[in-house]
Amino acid sequence: MKANDANDAIISTDTGRSNRIPPGQVQTRKWPILHAGTTPDYGDLSGWDLYFFGAVESKLRLTWAEFSKLPRVAVFADMHCVTRWSKLDNTWEGVATKELLHWIKPNANAPFAMIHCEQGFTTNLPVADLFGDDCLLATHHNGAPLEPDHGYPLRLVIPKLYAWKSAKWVRGIEFMAHDQPGFWESWENGGYHMRGDPWVEERFRESS
Ligand SMILES: Nc1nc2c(c(=O)[nH]1)N[C@H]1C(S)=C(S)[C@@H](COP(=O)(O)O)O[C@H]1N2
Ligand SMILES: [Mo]
């Protein structure tokens, strides 16, 4: 899978702003690595799959070979971590989350999703945000395959929400009628926001 397999048109939404640094954030030139737990060690990807389940018309399990055949996009986007760094000018390549709607049909009464990753990491977000025009399941960053620490072989990228929603090492997407906290959203792990819009500083959940 070569970097230039992506469509020529690069999708970009938030980068058209005159100020690209959200309130309370500081620009970083480096690319920090941030996650709970350890970096999964993948051998070959023959046992890898991506599972769509929960409130969907029919469940779907894609192998790596099947996922690799899906049409690809490129997205130019900024990345904002709730710990206050922002990394601008990222070009991601992979499969648009919207592309998956050709294959799965989430129930209309299930407006929330839970992303499931290696080692039990989870994060929740609204389905409307998951299928945003600039959202993708990314395999490449700035022309190179993702480094293991940054999510190889596959990470979610949701540019319009804080980066903890951009889950690394994704293995499943669950559709839910009711919102549930994921890992960082749970009270034990900080009580981060159920949505997480950086432009209005949705950093933490309301504690009531
Ligand atoms: N599986 C997994 N994905 C994760 C996390 C994590 O703990 N586990 N942390 C999130 C957080 S808090 C941030 S800021 C970004 C950081 O991505 P990076 O390490 O590629 O910079 O990954 C997100 N994705
Ligand atoms: Mo983060």
Side-chain angles (χ1 to χ4, degrees), residues 110-170:
F112 301 102
M114 186 71 80
I115 312 302
H116 294 263
C117 304
E118 301 289 351
Q119 303 177 356
F121 180 84
T122 53
T123 189
N124 60 306
L125 74 169
V127 165
D129 292 310
L130 175 63
F131 293 115
D133 287 337
D134 55 355
C135 297
L136 75 164
L137 287 158
T139 59
H140 287 65
H141 176 270
N142 290 354
L146 288 174
E147 296 287 339
D149 285 339
H150 288 299
Y152 171 88
L154 192 68
R155 81 178 295 165
L156 183 65
V157 177
I158 308 287
K160 288 196 177 67
L161 300 180
Y162 280 121
W164 86 82
K165 306 286 184 181
S166 290
K168 304 191 275 195
W169 315 298
V170 178

Short mmCIF file of all heavy atoms in Angstrom, two decimals, residues 110-170:
data_model
loop_
_atom_site.label_atom_id
_atom_site.label_comp_id
_atom_site.label_asym_id
_atom_site.label_seq_id
_atom_site.Cartn_x
_atom_site.Cartn_y
_atom_site.Cartn_z
N ALA A 110 -29.21 4.55 17.69
CA ALA A 110 -27.94 4.29 18.38
C ALA A 110 -26.95 5.40 18.05
O ALA A 110 -26.07 5.23 17.20
CB ALA A 110 -27.38 2.93 17.97
N PRO A 111 -27.07 6.56 18.70
CA PRO A 111 -26.25 7.72 18.31
C PRO A 111 -24.86 7.78 18.94
O PRO A 111 -24.15 8.77 18.78
CB PRO A 111 -27.09 8.91 18.80
CG PRO A 111 -27.87 8.38 19.95
CD PRO A 111 -28.11 6.91 19.68
N PHE A 112 -24.43 6.72 19.63
CA PHE A 112 -23.11 6.74 20.27
C PHE A 112 -22.27 5.55 19.81
O PHE A 112 -22.81 4.49 19.48
CB PHE A 112 -23.24 6.72 21.79
CG PHE A 112 -24.02 7.88 22.31
CD1 PHE A 112 -25.35 7.73 22.69
CD2 PHE A 112 -23.45 9.14 22.38
CE1 PHE A 112 -26.09 8.81 23.14
CE2 PHE A 112 -24.18 10.23 22.83
CZ PHE A 112 -25.51 10.06 23.21
N ALA A 113 -20.96 5.75 19.83
CA ALA A 113 -20.05 4.67 19.47
C ALA A 113 -19.00 4.49 20.56
O ALA A 113 -18.63 5.45 21.25
CB ALA A 113 -19.36 4.97 18.14
N MET A 114 -18.54 3.25 20.71
CA MET A 114 -17.39 2.94 21.56
C MET A 114 -16.32 2.35 20.67
O MET A 114 -16.58 1.40 19.92
CB MET A 114 -17.78 1.95 22.66
CG MET A 114 -16.68 1.71 23.67
SD MET A 114 -16.38 3.14 24.73
CE MET A 114 -17.73 2.95 25.91
N ILE A 115 -15.12 2.92 20.74
CA ILE A 115 -13.99 2.40 19.98
C ILE A 115 -13.22 1.44 20.88
O ILE A 115 -12.89 1.79 22.02
CB ILE A 115 -13.06 3.55 19.53
CG1 ILE A 115 -13.88 4.70 18.90
CG2 ILE A 115 -11.99 3.04 18.58
CD1 ILE A 115 -14.73 4.33 17.72
N HIS A 116 -12.96 0.25 20.39
CA HIS A 116 -12.26 -0.77 21.17
C HIS A 116 -10.87 -1.00 20.56
O HIS A 116 -10.75 -1.18 19.34
CB HIS A 116 -13.04 -2.09 21.14
CG HIS A 116 -14.36 -1.99 21.84
ND1 HIS A 116 -14.54 -2.41 23.15
CD2 HIS A 116 -15.56 -1.51 21.43
CE1 HIS A 116 -15.80 -2.21 23.50
NE2 HIS A 116 -16.46 -1.66 22.48
N CYS A 117 -9.87 -1.02 21.44
CA CYS A 117 -8.49 -1.14 20.98
C CYS A 117 -7.79 -2.30 21.66
O CYS A 117 -8.32 -2.90 22.59
CB CYS A 117 -7.73 0.15 21.30
SG CYS A 117 -8.52 1.60 20.60
N GLU A 118 -6.57 -2.58 21.21
CA GLU A 118 -5.74 -3.59 21.86
C GLU A 118 -5.65 -3.28 23.36
O GLU A 118 -5.67 -2.12 23.76
CB GLU A 118 -4.32 -3.56 21.28
CG GLU A 118 -4.23 -3.83 19.79
CD GLU A 118 -4.53 -5.28 19.41
OE1 GLU A 118 -4.65 -6.14 20.29
OE2 GLU A 118 -4.66 -5.52 18.20
N GLN A 119 -5.51 -4.29 24.14
CA GLN A 119 -5.26 -4.17 25.57
C GLN A 119 -6.42 -3.53 26.33
O GLN A 119 -6.24 -3.00 27.42
CB GLN A 119 -3.97 -3.40 25.86
CG GLN A 119 -2.75 -4.03 25.19
CD GLN A 119 -1.47 -3.24 25.40
OE1 GLN A 119 -1.50 -2.17 25.98
NE2 GLN A 119 -0.38 -3.77 24.91
N GLY A 120 -7.60 -3.54 25.72
CA GLY A 120 -8.77 -3.08 26.45
C GLY A 120 -9.01 -1.59 26.48
O GLY A 120 -9.96 -1.13 27.10
N PHE A 121 -8.15 -0.79 25.80
CA PHE A 121 -8.42 0.65 25.75
C PHE A 121 -9.71 0.91 24.98
O PHE A 121 -9.97 0.28 23.95
CB PHE A 121 -7.27 1.40 25.08
CG PHE A 121 -7.50 2.90 24.99
CD1 PHE A 121 -7.19 3.72 26.05
CD2 PHE A 121 -8.03 3.46 23.84
CE1 PHE A 121 -7.41 5.10 25.98
CE2 PHE A 121 -8.25 4.84 23.76
CZ PHE A 121 -7.94 5.65 24.82
N THR A 122 -10.49 1.85 25.49
CA THR A 122 -11.74 2.23 24.81
C THR A 122 -11.88 3.75 24.83
O THR A 122 -11.30 4.42 25.69
CB THR A 122 -12.98 1.64 25.53
OG1 THR A 122 -12.91 2.00 26.91
CG2 THR A 122 -13.07 0.13 25.39
N THR A 123 -12.63 4.27 23.89
CA THR A 123 -13.04 5.67 23.97
C THR A 123 -14.40 5.82 23.28
O THR A 123 -14.67 5.14 22.29
CB THR A 123 -11.98 6.63 23.37
OG1 THR A 123 -12.35 7.98 23.67
CG2 THR A 123 -11.82 6.48 21.87
N ASN A 124 -15.24 6.66 23.85
CA ASN A 124 -16.59 6.86 23.32
C ASN A 124 -16.70 8.18 22.59
O ASN A 124 -15.97 9.13 22.91
CB ASN A 124 -17.62 6.80 24.46
CG ASN A 124 -17.40 7.86 25.52
OD1 ASN A 124 -16.30 7.96 26.08
ND2 ASN A 124 -18.42 8.65 25.81
N LEU A 125 -17.58 8.24 21.63
CA LEU A 125 -17.87 9.49 20.94
C LEU A 125 -19.20 9.39 20.22
O LEU A 125 -19.68 8.28 19.96
CB LEU A 125 -16.74 9.87 19.96
CG LEU A 125 -16.57 9.14 18.64
CD1 LEU A 125 -15.57 9.88 17.78
CD2 LEU A 125 -16.12 7.71 18.84
N PRO A 126 -19.81 10.54 19.92
CA PRO A 126 -21.06 10.50 19.17
C PRO A 126 -20.84 9.95 17.76
O PRO A 126 -19.81 10.23 17.13
CB PRO A 126 -21.49 11.97 19.11
CG PRO A 126 -20.80 12.62 20.27
CD PRO A 126 -19.48 11.90 20.38
N VAL A 127 -21.79 9.20 17.26
CA VAL A 127 -21.72 8.66 15.90
C VAL A 127 -21.59 9.79 14.88
O VAL A 127 -20.87 9.66 13.88
CB VAL A 127 -22.97 7.77 15.63
CG1 VAL A 127 -23.15 7.49 14.15
CG2 VAL A 127 -22.85 6.46 16.41
N ALA A 128 -22.24 10.91 15.14
CA ALA A 128 -22.16 12.04 14.21
C ALA A 128 -20.72 12.54 14.08
O ALA A 128 -20.30 12.95 12.99
CB ALA A 128 -23.06 13.18 14.68
N ASP A 129 -19.95 12.49 15.15
CA ASP A 129 -18.54 12.89 15.08
C ASP A 129 -17.68 11.81 14.42
O ASP A 129 -16.75 12.12 13.68
CB ASP A 129 -18.00 13.17 16.49
CG ASP A 129 -18.62 14.42 17.09
OD1 ASP A 129 -18.63 15.46 16.41
OD2 ASP A 129 -19.10 14.35 18.24
N LEU A 130 -18.01 10.57 14.69
CA LEU A 130 -17.24 9.45 14.11
C LEU A 130 -17.26 9.48 12.59
O LEU A 130 -16.27 9.15 11.94
CB LEU A 130 -17.82 8.12 14.63
CG LEU A 130 -17.25 6.83 14.06
CD1 LEU A 130 -15.77 6.69 14.38
CD2 LEU A 130 -18.03 5.63 14.61
N PHE A 131 -18.42 9.86 12.03
CA PHE A 131 -18.56 9.84 10.57
C PHE A 131 -18.41 11.23 9.95
O PHE A 131 -18.92 11.50 8.87
CB PHE A 131 -19.89 9.20 10.17
CG PHE A 131 -19.92 7.72 10.51
CD1 PHE A 131 -20.82 7.23 11.45
CD2 PHE A 131 -19.04 6.84 9.90
CE1 PHE A 131 -20.85 5.87 11.77
CE2 PHE A 131 -19.05 5.48 10.23
CZ PHE A 131 -19.96 5.00 11.16
N GLY A 132 -17.69 12.13 10.63
CA GLY A 132 -17.39 13.45 10.07
C GLY A 132 -16.59 13.33 8.78
O GLY A 132 -15.89 12.34 8.56
N ASP A 133 -16.67 14.36 7.93
CA ASP A 133 -16.03 14.33 6.61
C ASP A 133 -14.52 14.15 6.69
O ASP A 133 -13.90 13.68 5.73
CB ASP A 133 -16.29 15.66 5.87
CG ASP A 133 -17.72 15.76 5.41
OD1 ASP A 133 -18.37 14.70 5.25
OD2 ASP A 133 -18.18 16.91 5.18
N ASP A 134 -13.93 14.59 7.80
CA ASP A 134 -12.46 14.55 7.91
C ASP A 134 -11.98 13.42 8.81
O ASP A 134 -10.84 13.43 9.25
CB ASP A 134 -11.95 15.90 8.44
CG ASP A 134 -12.59 16.29 9.77
OD1 ASP A 134 -13.51 15.57 10.24
OD2 ASP A 134 -12.20 17.32 10.33
N CYS A 135 -12.83 12.44 9.07
CA CYS A 135 -12.47 11.36 10.00
C CYS A 135 -12.05 10.12 9.21
O CYS A 135 -12.66 9.77 8.22
CB CYS A 135 -13.65 11.02 10.90
SG CYS A 135 -14.11 12.43 11.92
N LEU A 136 -11.00 9.47 9.70
CA LEU A 136 -10.53 8.27 8.99
C LEU A 136 -9.90 7.26 9.93
O LEU A 136 -9.54 7.57 11.07
CB LEU A 136 -9.55 8.65 7.87
CG LEU A 136 -8.12 9.06 8.22
CD1 LEU A 136 -7.26 9.00 6.96
CD2 LEU A 136 -8.05 10.45 8.81
N LEU A 137 -9.81 6.06 9.41
CA LEU A 137 -9.01 5.00 10.02
C LEU A 137 -7.69 5.04 9.29
O LEU A 137 -7.60 4.66 8.12
CB LEU A 137 -9.72 3.66 9.89
CG LEU A 137 -10.94 3.53 10.82
CD1 LEU A 137 -11.91 2.48 10.32
CD2 LEU A 137 -10.50 3.22 12.25
N ALA A 138 -6.66 5.53 9.97
CA ALA A 138 -5.40 5.88 9.29
C ALA A 138 -4.37 4.78 9.42
O ALA A 138 -4.20 4.18 10.48
CB ALA A 138 -4.85 7.18 9.87
N THR A 139 -3.66 4.58 8.30
CA THR A 139 -2.52 3.65 8.27
C THR A 139 -1.20 4.40 8.09
O THR A 139 -0.15 3.85 8.36
CB THR A 139 -2.65 2.66 7.09
OG1 THR A 139 -2.71 3.42 5.87
CG2 THR A 139 -3.91 1.81 7.21
N HIS A 140 -1.28 5.65 7.58
CA HIS A 140 -0.07 6.42 7.27
C HIS A 140 -0.16 7.83 7.85
O HIS A 140 -1.26 8.40 7.96
CB HIS A 140 0.12 6.55 5.76
CG HIS A 140 0.58 5.28 5.10
ND1 HIS A 140 -0.19 4.15 5.05
CD2 HIS A 140 1.75 4.99 4.46
CE1 HIS A 140 0.48 3.20 4.39
NE2 HIS A 140 1.65 3.69 4.03
N HIS A 141 1.00 8.39 8.18
CA HIS A 141 1.12 9.78 8.65
C HIS A 141 2.29 10.43 7.91
O HIS A 141 3.39 9.89 7.90
CB HIS A 141 1.38 9.79 10.16
CG HIS A 141 1.60 11.16 10.72
ND1 HIS A 141 2.85 11.73 10.80
CD2 HIS A 141 0.73 12.07 11.21
CE1 HIS A 141 2.74 12.94 11.34
NE2 HIS A 141 1.47 13.18 11.60
N ASN A 142 2.03 11.56 7.28
CA ASN A 142 3.06 12.29 6.52
C ASN A 142 3.84 11.37 5.58
O ASN A 142 5.07 11.43 5.52
CB ASN A 142 3.99 13.06 7.47
CG ASN A 142 3.26 14.23 8.13
OD1 ASN A 142 2.10 14.52 7.80
ND2 ASN A 142 3.91 14.89 9.06
N GLY A 143 3.12 10.50 4.91
CA GLY A 143 3.71 9.69 3.84
C GLY A 143 4.34 8.39 4.28
O GLY A 143 4.75 7.59 3.43
N ALA A 144 4.42 8.14 5.57
CA ALA A 144 5.06 6.91 6.05
C ALA A 144 4.06 6.07 6.85
O ALA A 144 3.16 6.63 7.48
CB ALA A 144 6.26 7.26 6.93
N PRO A 145 4.24 4.75 6.83
CA PRO A 145 3.37 3.92 7.67
C PRO A 145 3.47 4.36 9.12
O PRO A 145 4.52 4.82 9.56
CB PRO A 145 3.96 2.50 7.50
CG PRO A 145 4.79 2.55 6.27
CD PRO A 145 5.26 3.97 6.12
N LEU A 146 2.39 4.24 9.85
CA LEU A 146 2.40 4.62 11.28
C LEU A 146 3.49 3.86 12.02
O LEU A 146 3.66 2.66 11.85
CB LEU A 146 1.05 4.27 11.91
CG LEU A 146 -0.15 5.11 11.53
CD1 LEU A 146 -1.41 4.51 12.15
CD2 LEU A 146 0.04 6.56 11.98
N GLU A 147 4.21 4.56 12.86
CA GLU A 147 5.15 3.91 13.78
C GLU A 147 4.33 3.12 14.80
O GLU A 147 3.21 3.52 15.13
CB GLU A 147 5.96 4.98 14.53
CG GLU A 147 6.86 5.83 13.66
CD GLU A 147 8.07 5.08 13.15
OE1 GLU A 147 8.44 4.06 13.77
OE2 GLU A 147 8.64 5.50 12.12
N PRO A 148 4.90 2.03 15.34
CA PRO A 148 4.17 1.27 16.35
C PRO A 148 3.63 2.16 17.48
O PRO A 148 2.46 2.01 17.88
CB PRO A 148 5.22 0.29 16.87
CG PRO A 148 6.12 0.06 15.69
CD PRO A 148 6.18 1.38 14.98
N ASP A 149 4.43 3.09 17.97
CA ASP A 149 4.00 3.94 19.09
C ASP A 149 2.85 4.88 18.72
O ASP A 149 2.16 5.39 19.59
CB ASP A 149 5.16 4.81 19.58
CG ASP A 149 6.16 4.02 20.40
OD1 ASP A 149 5.80 2.96 20.93
OD2 ASP A 149 7.31 4.50 20.52
N HIS A 150 2.70 5.14 17.43
CA HIS A 150 1.64 6.06 17.00
C HIS A 150 0.41 5.32 16.47
O HIS A 150 -0.50 5.95 15.92
CB HIS A 150 2.17 7.05 15.96
CG HIS A 150 3.10 8.08 16.52
ND1 HIS A 150 2.72 8.99 17.49
CD2 HIS A 150 4.41 8.34 16.27
CE1 HIS A 150 3.75 9.76 17.79
NE2 HIS A 150 4.79 9.39 17.07
N GLY A 151 0.40 3.99 16.61
CA GLY A 151 -0.84 3.28 16.32
C GLY A 151 -0.81 2.20 15.26
O GLY A 151 -1.86 1.67 14.92
N TYR A 152 0.38 1.88 14.72
CA TYR A 152 0.47 0.82 13.70
C TYR A 152 -0.27 -0.43 14.18
O TYR A 152 -0.08 -0.84 15.32
CB TYR A 152 1.93 0.47 13.42
CG TYR A 152 2.09 -0.75 12.53
CD1 TYR A 152 2.09 -0.64 11.15
CD2 TYR A 152 2.17 -2.03 13.11
CE1 TYR A 152 2.21 -1.78 10.35
CE2 TYR A 152 2.28 -3.17 12.31
CZ TYR A 152 2.29 -3.02 10.94
OH TYR A 152 2.38 -4.14 10.15
N PRO A 153 -1.07 -1.06 13.34
CA PRO A 153 -1.28 -0.76 11.92
C PRO A 153 -2.43 0.21 11.64
O PRO A 153 -2.53 0.71 10.53
CB PRO A 153 -1.65 -2.14 11.34
CG PRO A 153 -2.38 -2.82 12.47
CD PRO A 153 -1.71 -2.34 13.73
N LEU A 154 -3.25 0.48 12.65
CA LEU A 154 -4.45 1.27 12.36
C LEU A 154 -4.88 2.10 13.56
O LEU A 154 -5.03 1.58 14.67
CB LEU A 154 -5.60 0.34 11.97
CG LEU A 154 -6.82 1.05 11.35
CD1 LEU A 154 -6.46 1.61 9.98
CD2 LEU A 154 -8.00 0.10 11.23
N ARG A 155 -5.08 3.38 13.31
CA ARG A 155 -5.64 4.24 14.35
C ARG A 155 -6.79 5.05 13.79
O ARG A 155 -6.84 5.34 12.58
CB ARG A 155 -4.58 5.17 14.93
CG ARG A 155 -4.31 6.41 14.08
CD ARG A 155 -3.29 7.33 14.70
NE ARG A 155 -3.75 7.90 15.96
CZ ARG A 155 -2.94 8.50 16.82
NH1 ARG A 155 -1.64 8.59 16.58
NH2 ARG A 155 -3.42 9.02 17.92
N LEU A 156 -7.66 5.44 14.68
CA LEU A 156 -8.73 6.36 14.32
C LEU A 156 -8.17 7.78 14.37
O LEU A 156 -7.31 8.07 15.20
CB LEU A 156 -9.88 6.19 15.32
CG LEU A 156 -11.13 7.00 15.10
CD1 LEU A 156 -11.83 6.59 13.80
CD2 LEU A 156 -12.09 6.82 16.28
N VAL A 157 -8.66 8.66 13.49
CA VAL A 157 -8.32 10.08 13.56
C VAL A 157 -9.61 10.89 13.46
O VAL A 157 -10.35 10.79 12.48
CB VAL A 157 -7.34 10.48 12.43
CG1 VAL A 157 -7.06 11.99 12.47
CG2 VAL A 157 -6.03 9.70 12.54
N ILE A 158 -9.86 11.65 14.54
CA ILE A 158 -11.05 12.51 14.62
C ILE A 158 -10.53 13.93 14.86
O ILE A 158 -10.41 14.37 16.01
CB ILE A 158 -11.97 12.08 15.80
CG1 ILE A 158 -12.32 10.59 15.76
CG2 ILE A 158 -13.25 12.94 15.84
CD1 ILE A 158 -13.30 10.18 14.68
N PRO A 159 -10.18 14.66 13.79
CA PRO A 159 -9.49 15.94 13.98
C PRO A 159 -10.24 16.95 14.83
O PRO A 159 -9.61 17.76 15.52
CB PRO A 159 -9.33 16.47 12.55
CG PRO A 159 -9.35 15.24 11.69
CD PRO A 159 -10.32 14.31 12.38
N LYS A 160 -11.56 16.94 14.80
CA LYS A 160 -12.32 17.99 15.49
C LYS A 160 -12.48 17.74 16.99
O LYS A 160 -13.04 18.59 17.69
CB LYS A 160 -13.69 18.17 14.84
CG LYS A 160 -13.59 18.85 13.47
CD LYS A 160 -14.96 19.37 13.04
CE LYS A 160 -14.86 20.12 11.72
NZ LYS A 160 -14.51 19.21 10.61
N LEU A 161 -12.04 16.59 17.48
CA LEU A 161 -12.12 16.33 18.93
C LEU A 161 -10.71 16.17 19.50
O LEU A 161 -9.76 15.89 18.76
CB LEU A 161 -12.95 15.06 19.20
CG LEU A 161 -14.40 15.09 18.69
CD1 LEU A 161 -15.10 13.78 19.03
CD2 LEU A 161 -15.18 16.27 19.25
N TYR A 162 -10.58 16.36 20.81
CA TYR A 162 -9.29 16.14 21.46
C TYR A 162 -8.74 14.77 21.06
O TYR A 162 -9.49 13.80 20.86
CB TYR A 162 -9.43 16.20 22.98
CG TYR A 162 -9.48 17.60 23.55
CD1 TYR A 162 -10.57 18.03 24.30
CD2 TYR A 162 -8.41 18.49 23.39
CE1 TYR A 162 -10.63 19.30 24.85
CE2 TYR A 162 -8.46 19.77 23.93
CZ TYR A 162 -9.56 20.17 24.67
OH TYR A 162 -9.60 21.43 25.21
N ALA A 163 -7.42 14.68 21.05
CA ALA A 163 -6.74 13.54 20.44
C ALA A 163 -6.93 12.23 21.19
O ALA A 163 -6.62 11.17 20.65
CB ALA A 163 -5.25 13.84 20.29
N TRP A 164 -7.43 12.27 22.43
CA TRP A 164 -7.63 10.96 23.08
C TRP A 164 -8.75 10.17 22.41
O TRP A 164 -8.82 8.95 22.57
CB TRP A 164 -7.84 11.10 24.59
CG TRP A 164 -9.22 11.35 25.06
CD1 TRP A 164 -10.20 10.40 25.25
CD2 TRP A 164 -9.80 12.60 25.44
NE1 TRP A 164 -11.34 11.01 25.71
CE2 TRP A 164 -11.12 12.35 25.84
CE3 TRP A 164 -9.32 13.93 25.47
CZ2 TRP A 164 -11.98 13.37 26.26
CZ3 TRP A 164 -10.16 14.93 25.90
CH2 TRP A 164 -11.48 14.66 26.29
N LYS A 165 -9.59 10.85 21.61
CA LYS A 165 -10.61 10.12 20.85
C LYS A 165 -10.00 9.47 19.61
O LYS A 165 -10.63 8.61 18.98
CB LYS A 165 -11.75 11.05 20.43
CG LYS A 165 -12.41 11.85 21.57
CD LYS A 165 -13.31 11.01 22.45
CE LYS A 165 -14.00 11.89 23.50
NZ LYS A 165 -14.87 11.11 24.40
N SER A 166 -8.80 9.91 19.22
CA SER A 166 -8.13 9.35 18.03
C SER A 166 -7.37 8.09 18.46
O SER A 166 -6.14 8.06 18.57
CB SER A 166 -7.17 10.38 17.42
OG SER A 166 -7.92 11.43 16.82
N ALA A 167 -8.14 7.05 18.69
CA ALA A 167 -7.65 5.84 19.33
C ALA A 167 -6.65 5.09 18.46
O ALA A 167 -6.87 4.88 17.27
CB ALA A 167 -8.82 4.93 19.65
N LYS A 168 -5.54 4.69 19.09
CA LYS A 168 -4.51 3.91 18.40
C LYS A 168 -4.82 2.42 18.54
O LYS A 168 -5.45 2.00 19.50
CB LYS A 168 -3.14 4.22 19.02
CG LYS A 168 -2.82 5.73 18.98
CD LYS A 168 -1.39 6.03 19.35
CE LYS A 168 -1.18 6.14 20.84
NZ LYS A 168 0.14 6.78 21.17
N TRP A 169 -4.32 1.63 17.60
CA TRP A 169 -4.45 0.17 17.62
C TRP A 169 -5.91 -0.28 17.69
O TRP A 169 -6.31 -1.16 18.47
CB TRP A 169 -3.64 -0.43 18.79
CG TRP A 169 -2.27 0.19 18.90
CD1 TRP A 169 -1.29 0.13 17.96
CD2 TRP A 169 -1.74 0.97 20.00
NE1 TRP A 169 -0.18 0.82 18.40
CE2 TRP A 169 -0.43 1.34 19.64
CE3 TRP A 169 -2.26 1.38 21.23
CZ2 TRP A 169 0.36 2.10 20.49
CZ3 TRP A 169 -1.46 2.14 22.07
CH2 TRP A 169 -0.17 2.49 21.70
N VAL A 170 -6.74 0.33 16.85
CA VAL A 170 -8.18 0.05 16.85
C VAL A 170 -8.45 -1.37 16.37
O VAL A 170 -7.84 -1.84 15.40
CB VAL A 170 -8.92 1.03 15.91
CG1 VAL A 170 -10.41 0.72 15.85
CG2 VAL A 170 -8.72 2.45 16.35
#
